[in-house]
Amino acid sequence: MPDQLLFAMEVMLNGLMAGVLYALVALGFVLIFKASGIFNYAQGVMALFAALTLVGLQEGQVPFAHLINAIFGTDIHHFGWHLPALVAIILTIGVMVVLAIIVEKFVLKHLVNQEPIILFMATIGLAYFLEGFGDVMWGSEIKMLDVGLPQGASFWVEENTAWLGGEGFYGFFIDKLDMVAAVVAALLVISLTIFSQYSKQGRALRAVADDHQAALSVGISLRFIWVLVWSIAGFVALVAGIMWGAKSGVQFSLSLIALKALPVLMLGGFTSIPGAIVGGLIIGVGEKLFEFTIGPMVGGATENWFAYVLALLFLVFRPQGLFGEKIIERV
Amino acid sequence: MFYREAGDFKTSYGSDSQTFPIKFDRMRYYVVLVVAFGVVPFIINDYWANAVFVPFLIYAIAAIGLNILTGYCGQLSLGTGGFMAVGAYACYKLMTAFPEVSIVIHVLLAGGVTAGVGVLFGLPSLRIKGFYLAVATLAAQFFLVWLFNKVPWFYNNSASGQISAPERTVFGVEVTGANTDAWAKYMICLVFLVVLAWVARNLTRGTVGRSWMAIRDMDIAAEIIGVNPLKAKLTAFAVSSFFVGVAGALFFSVYLGAVEVGEAFGINKSFLVLFMIILGGLGSIFGSLAGAAFLVLLPVLLKNVLVGGLGWPTDLAAHLELMIVGALIIVFLIAEPHGMAQLWRIAKEKLRLWPFPH
């Protein structure tokens, strides 16, 4: 095979892997949107907050150390212990559940029956708050996240694909972490699908998604469902935070993956879990291939906007996205 | 007591439909104008101009612009930063290409260019609505910032990739460049704000404004009663972008002087202006001003109290500011979704009856 084609294939494979990570974030959006009609802009910051909490717990950081030091003039930083990754993850899940309860109690409960756009803006406020809160609680310096995931290029893939090309070709370069992420994303989607199809809570969740009032009238507690769904979204945010954090360190830019997930949602439709996956893959492959082929001609860094423009053009022809429910409007 | 309407009779349609029908309101408005034009320029110094007044005036213009689109026409936009960048770069190109023409004309033309770009990115609003549109306007934000970063023509091939404003004068007084006096910066922004606020106020209560509000309240119903959605939405995008473009041009030429696009006009700017109109009040010109004033003053105040007063580190103060702004947004949306403008209206109602509420 010609090398150029092989390179394009490698770019495509890497795009697929990046797409999986986008899909992971988009999944959190879809879950909340389906269950409560809220477009949760704070999902990206939740991923950042989860990752910060995980690192903080694992390293035994003192929460609010910065603030305490500023007020009392002390100099404390660490408790001096190291938690095993698994314990830290379980504790972080607990924190995310508490966060879900707090969000429900102090924000959502008071905004029932408001217009969706008001709720959307409230989540932007929540995003700002959480971002500041996470920084005050755990400090804003870049942290390394290590929960024992494999990293670096996979030699197995390289060796087994080297025969495809000629002299100068050493096989495909694929990060092990990306492969892990793909497997985790697949598991997550399967388990979420099983949960929402077969468990009692899952059915209640789908009922709420269909019609809030009808669900209330058959005795489903809306508030419990909201806490549940925000907890699940928190869990998905934690997974996304671990994957992205292990890839590029835990820092502010982690919260910007929310902005990457938005076009994925538009493409796939806000209400569809498969849509989030397919949309993520299309965007991942599309932006990498575009950067590879057209990027050098226009100065590069097209990844910033390509996904948005693609989604925008796509929406003009299909306003509800690929898998979204058809939008019916009545006066 | 304060807002007595008794005896304030109107004898013509003209006086009945004026902007401030109550005499007290009208006088207060004139007093504010007299103070703004006659007192502040003489006592202003560099710190107050750069930290408070000039950013307030410029953000107020941008907030009025976004309020026209979001508050009056109901089209949520997250592309304000990108459109401000269009205004700034259009102004820069015009300033360097035609040095003999007055800067006032350049700023207005920059607004016009931005209006054109705004209409272009507003076209999808005819097909898509709500969140989808909000996300679509992010396309404008990212694409425009990238464009101004990557195409050397826009920054005249300067080595740093920055654009910096050459020195220009209005009536012989320098308004851009390093040697500008504080009062000159203040005055040019103030004149723009007063004129544009007056235009916005009168547009929004006329035919165009009513068609915007009809579209905002329910676009299908509006279409059925004969409002042309194409015209209403695109005029809203055009007028809004014009305001935002003028704000961007002033922000670059008068306020900052030199601009790097990603830093000055990033996504955070879009959110900042959006927060201003949420806190101030959607669909209110006064609200735009109040929101802009609040969010310009808050960081200055927090910095003075936390860093200057308590001696805390600046990064901690910045994080606390994020928390406070976020919490305020949520509190306002819960307690008063119509923002400070509504609080003001309630206060006026109370003042009308005070001190005898019955």
Side-chain angles (χ1 to χ4, degrees):
Chain A
M1 269 192 266
D3 285 358
Q4 198 62 20
L5 186 70
L6 280 169
F7 282 132
M9 271 176 72
E10 184 178 334
V11 168
M12 219 171 103
L13 275 173
N14 279 312
L16 273 178
M17 296 298 172
V20 169
L21 288 174
Y22 297 154
L24 260 181
V25 184
L27 206 58
F29 280 100
V30 171
L31 281 171
I32 291 186
F33 190 81
K34 264 177 86 93
S36 51
I38 297 172
F39 183 81
N40 178 25
Y41 181 79
Q43 187 67 31
V45 184
M46 275 165 74
L48 172 68
F49 183 73
L52 276 175
T53 311
L54 179 63
V55 175
L57 288 172
Q58 215 182 348
E59 302 288 319
Q61 271 185 306
V62 180
F64 305 107
H66 209 44
L67 188 64
I68 295 169
N69 290 346
I71 295 174
F72 301 110
T74 50
D75 188 32
I76 47 173
H77 294 289
H78 291 87
F79 287 123
W81 70 58
H82 273 266
L83 288 179
L86 193 64
V87 179
I89 288 176
I90 291 170
L91 283 176
T92 310
I93 293 174
V95 172
M96 295 314 279
V97 172
V98 172
L99 180 71
I101 294 171
I102 291 174
V103 167
E104 199 278 334
K105 201 165 175 60
F106 290 102
V107 183
L108 296 180
K109 194 178 89 179
H110 304 283
L111 288 171
V112 178
N113 257 340
Q114 291 279 12
E115 284 170 54
I117 217 81
I118 300 279
L119 286 160
F120 171 59
M121 296 201 260
T123 62
I124 298 182
L126 182 67
Y128 267 66
F129 181 81
L130 261 187
E131 192 187 316
F133 188 67
D135 285 343
V136 171
M137 195 164 167
W138 301 112
S140 58
E141 66 276 9
I142 299 174
K143 299 181 186 65
M144 293 309 297
L145 186 141
D146 182 21
V147 289
L149 291 174
Q151 291 208 2
S154 165
F155 294 114
W156 183 82
V157 175
E158 278 192 21
E159 276 167 21
N160 284 290
T161 49
W163 56 271
L164 284 169
E167 263 313 285
F169 186 73
Y170 299 108
F172 292 131
F173 178 93
I174 292 175
D175 200 323
K176 279 186 217 157
L177 186 68
D178 287 341
M179 290 159 69
V180 174
V183 174
V184 170
L187 284 178
L188 206 60
V189 170
I190 292 168
S191 52
L192 279 175
T193 313
I194 292 174
F195 172 76
S196 69
Q197 293 294 331
Y198 299 110
S199 77
K200 192 177 161 196
Q201 304 306 346
R203 285 179 192 196
L205 208 147
R206 282 191 295 145
V208 172
D210 260 359
D211 191 328
H212 285 190
Q213 284 184 337
L216 271 175
S217 67
V218 294
I220 295 167
S221 162
L222 208 54
R223 295 186 56 187
F224 173 73
I225 292 295
W226 279 358
V227 171
L228 180 73
V229 83
W230 278 73
S231 307
I232 297 174
F235 175 67
V236 175
L238 174 63
V239 175
I242 291 175
M243 295 303 164
W244 282 93
K247 206 176 162 74
S248 49
V250 180
Q251 52 180 319
F252 167 70
S253 68
L254 195 69
S255 65
L256 298 179
I257 52 172
L259 297 174
K260 277 282 179 190
L262 292 178
V264 171
L265 286 172
M266 288 165 70
L267 205 62
F270 279 111
T271 49
S272 160
I273 291 179
I277 306 292
V278 176
L281 294 181
I282 292 177
I283 298 260
V285 173
E287 69 175 21
K288 288 280 185 311
L289 276 182
F290 188 78
E291 178 72 28
F292 179 71
T293 52
I294 315 282
M297 285 179 237
V298 291
T302 55
E303 282 165 341
N304 284 337
W305 55 267
F306 173 76
Y308 282 96
V309 175
L310 180 72
L312 183 62
L313 292 177
F314 188 84
L315 277 191
V316 171
F317 296 102
R318 200 177 155 81
Q320 71 271 33
L322 268 178
F323 296 91
E325 287 154 19
K326 184 130 186 69
I327 303 164
I328 301 167
E329 285 185 278
R330 297 187 183 86
V331 175
Chain B
M1 182 82 168
F2 287 118
Y3 273 86
R4 261 194 312 199
E5 289 161 61
D8 201 358
F9 297 116
K10 303 289 185 289
T11 49
S12 65
Y13 285 119
S15 64
D16 195 36
S17 60
Q18 59 191 333
T19 305
F20 296 104
I22 302 172
K23 198 175 168 201
F24 180 83
D25 260 351
R26 206 156 54 235
M27 299 323 282
R28 188 185 35 113
Y29 169 68
Y30 290 138
V31 168
V32 169
L33 279 187
V34 166
V35 171
F37 278 100
V39 179
V40 178
F42 294 102
I43 55 171
I44 196 167
N45 59 22
D46 268 339
Y47 174 76
W48 278 93
N50 284 329
V52 178
F53 279 104
V54 174
F56 158 66
L57 295 168
I58 293 172
Y59 279 126
I61 297 174
I64 292 175
L66 185 62
N67 220 335
I68 286 174
L69 188 62
T70 304
Y72 284 99
C73 196
Q75 313 293 310
L76 184 58
S77 165
L78 298 175
T80 318
F83 292 133
M84 279 176 86
V86 174
Y89 277 76
C91 187
Y92 174 69
K93 287 305 283 187
L94 287 165
M95 277 165 94
T96 47
F98 308 101
E100 66 281 359
V101 181
S102 164
I103 173 125
V104 176
I105 302 199
H106 285 153
V107 170
L108 291 177
L109 281 177
V113 171
T114 318
V117 177
V119 168
L120 193 68
F121 279 98
L123 282 173
S125 73
L126 304 170
R127 284 281 286 173
I128 53 184
K129 289 166 192 166
F131 306 129
Y132 286 94
L133 181 67
V135 178
T137 54
L138 277 176
Q141 170 72 44
F142 290 117
F143 180 73
L144 290 169
V145 167
W146 174 85
L147 189 71
F148 294 133
N149 229 340
K150 290 291 173 192
V151 181
W153 182 78
F154 286 112
Y155 49 88
N156 285 359
N157 301 305
S158 81
S160 60
Q162 281 194 338
I163 54 173
S164 50
E167 290 170 5
R168 293 286 179 273
T169 58
V170 176
F171 300 127
V173 179
E174 221 167 85
V175 292
T176 64
N179 306 320
T180 317
D181 289 327
W183 69 270
K185 286 185 181 183
Y186 169 79
M187 276 308 269
I188 189 167
C189 295
L190 181 68
V191 170
F192 268 108
L193 174 65
V194 170
V195 172
L196 287 177
W198 178 77
V199 168
R201 171 71 194 162
N202 286 299
L203 269 181
T204 48
R205 60 194 197 132
T207 319
V208 194
R210 281 163 194 235
S211 67
W212 291 340
M213 286 187 264
I215 290 285
R216 169 193 69 190
D217 291 340
M218 189 170 219
D219 53 354
I220 296 184
E223 199 175 344
I224 289 168
I225 60 166
V227 175
N228 184 351
L230 176 89
K231 212 174 122 196
K233 283 183 182 174
L234 290 188
T235 48
F237 265 99
V239 174
S240 160
S241 306
F242 177 83
F243 278 62
V244 173
V246 168
L250 290 173
F251 194 75
F252 150 68
S253 61
V254 178
Y255 179 47
L256 288 181
V259 157
E260 200 278 312
V261 63
E263 208 174 298
F265 300 115
I267 178 93
N268 281 334
K269 199 112 300 175
S270 303
F271 281 126
L272 181 66
V273 181
L274 181 66
F275 286 168
M276 284 173 185
I277 65 168
I278 298 173
L279 288 178
L282 291 170
S284 155
I285 303 291
F286 170 75
S288 314
L289 302 183
F294 185 76
L295 280 186
V296 168
L297 279 174
L298 183 71
V300 177
L301 197 72
L302 280 179
K303 194 160 178 270
N304 279 328
V305 171
L306 294 180
V307 181
L310 296 173
W312 291 7
T314 32
D315 61 330
L316 187 63
H319 298 152
L320 283 176
E321 184 197 324
L322 277 179
M323 282 175 69
I324 292 172
V325 171
L328 272 175
I329 298 280
I330 296 174
V331 167
F332 258 97
L333 286 174
I334 290 170
E336 192 47 84
H338 297 101
M340 291 179 196
Q342 182 67 16
L343 291 180
W344 175 238
R345 262 173 237 137
I346 294 170
K348 277 204 295 197
E349 274 305 302
K350 291 262 180 349
L351 280 178
R352 272 175 66 192
L353 302 173
W354 190 83
F356 306 112
H358 296 292

